[in-house]
Amino acid sequence: MVEKKFKITAETGIHARPATILVNEAIKYDCEIELKLDTKVINLKSIMGVMSLGIYSGEIIYIVCSGEDEVQAMNGLTDVFYEMKLGKEI
């Protein structure tokens, strides 16, 4: 299991476009990928799950990857966060 904590810094938070890009990155991997916000946990491979969270600027999220290609998945998702300027690792 690999876990990272991110603070969302994008002014608009994670809306439809970045959510879609994150989900598209997540589905490339075989491992389980969860996104946690407060007490809510969703499958990052589900666009409906991500959109249901309503992630705003300033919020803290956790991404947890578990499985065979967990490190590659986390690296890919971290790259998306920095390329899209969604947030920073804390």
Side-chain angles (χ1 to χ4, degrees), residues 2-9 14 18 21-23 25-26 28-29 33-35 44 61-65 69-90:
V2 180
E3 179 177 299
K4 283 190 179 182
K5 180 178 177 182
F6 293 91
K7 180 173 184 174
I8 304 303
T9 58
I14 298 181
I21 293 169
L22 282 169
V23 169
E25 181 66 25
K28 293 178 183 177
Y29 305 99
I33 304 173
E34 295 178 334
L35 190 152
L44 189 53
I61 64 166
Y62 295 83
I63 295 179
V64 181
C65 301
D69 54 357
E70 62 190 26
V71 173
Q72 294 89 342
M74 185 61 79
N75 290 339
L77 291 164
T78 300
D79 289 347
V80 169
F81 260 82
Y82 286 114
E83 288 169 10
M84 296 194 64
K85 298 181 175 131
L86 294 176
K88 61 181 179 180
E89 191 177 344
I90 55 173

Side-chain angles (χ1 to χ4, degrees), residues 17 25 30 36 40 43-44 66 82:
R17 183 174 172 270
E25 181 66 25
D30 293 326
K36 299 178 182 181
K40 301 172 195 162
N43 180 347
L44 189 53
S66 302
Y82 286 114

